[in-house]
Amino acid sequence: MIDLGKFRRGDRAYLEELVRAHGNLVHLVAQGYGKDPDHIKDLFQETWMHVFQKRLTYRGEGSFEGWLQRTTTRVCISDFRHRKAHRKAQERMGQEGRGDAQHWKEKDPMDEADKRETHLKLHRALAQLSNREH
């Protein structure tokens, strides 16, 4: 049984105690979804951040371990879906002939504005040339 008051208040020492007491449960669930030890550590940390953020949603009606296990599973499934969507997007980009998806990046609006301005200046300069200079 956990101290619901300390948990909900976000008592730092108490939260650290919970991580020590229930960390193995989170680690075991994360191992089922993690692709390597570093990824498992990331899932572990993400889960505890989520637990801290959602601590007010735990009403204390069921076991903390059950709530923690469901929370960990949700974090891991969300991560899995995100990685899957990312992988599919990379595959689509590769199939569309856009080159290596690793190098794709969103266009910077300022770069685009600079290009338009340069393009406009070039057209103005060309318009001022005589027919012989074209």
Side-chain angles (χ1 to χ4, degrees):
M1 200 72 184
I2 70 164
D3 183 330
L4 200 54
K6 286 182 179 180
F7 179 61
R8 286 192 174 160
R9 279 193 309 273
D11 182 289
R12 183 182 174 106
Y14 188 69
L15 292 172
E16 289 173 0
E17 186 180 316
L18 287 175
V19 171
R20 282 190 299 275
H22 301 286
N24 285 339
L25 172 64
V26 172
H27 189 72
L28 285 172
V29 174
Q31 278 181 318
Y33 292 90
K35 58 184 182 175
D36 58 46
D38 287 335
H39 186 227
I40 292 167
K41 287 178 187 177
D42 290 344
L43 291 171
F44 182 89
Q45 290 175 350
E46 182 69 27
T47 296
W48 285 106
M49 284 184 355
H50 193 80
V51 165
F52 179 77
Q53 292 168 347
K54 299 293 183 180
R55 69 189 183 278
L56 298 177
T57 66
Y58 176 63
R59 296 185 304 257
E61 293 170 355
S63 74
F64 177 74
E65 291 81 5
W67 181 81
L68 181 59
Q69 183 174 357
R70 285 188 304 278
T71 300
T72 306
T73 301
R74 284 186 194 116
V75 167
C76 291
I77 289 172
S78 176
D79 175 79
F80 174 79
R81 287 179 179 157
H82 175 76
R83 286 185 293 121
K84 184 177 176 181
H86 183 73
R87 206 171 29 251
K88 283 184 177 184
Q90 285 182 325
E91 289 170 5
R92 277 193 307 272
M93 288 177 64
Q95 291 171 355
E96 293 173 7
R98 294 186 184 180
D100 186 1
Q102 296 284 337
H103 298 292
W104 179 85
K105 68 176 192 174
E106 192 173 325
K107 292 180 181 179
D108 182 354
M110 292 305 290
D111 286 344
E112 293 300 309
D114 289 343
K115 285 179 188 176
R116 282 192 300 275
E117 185 178 338
T118 302
H119 190 72
L120 186 59
K121 286 179 182 178
L122 180 61
H123 276 283
R124 285 181 188 152
L126 287 172
Q128 292 177 357
L129 294 175
S130 67
N131 285 342
R132 187 171 171 203
E133 294 172 316
H134 273 256

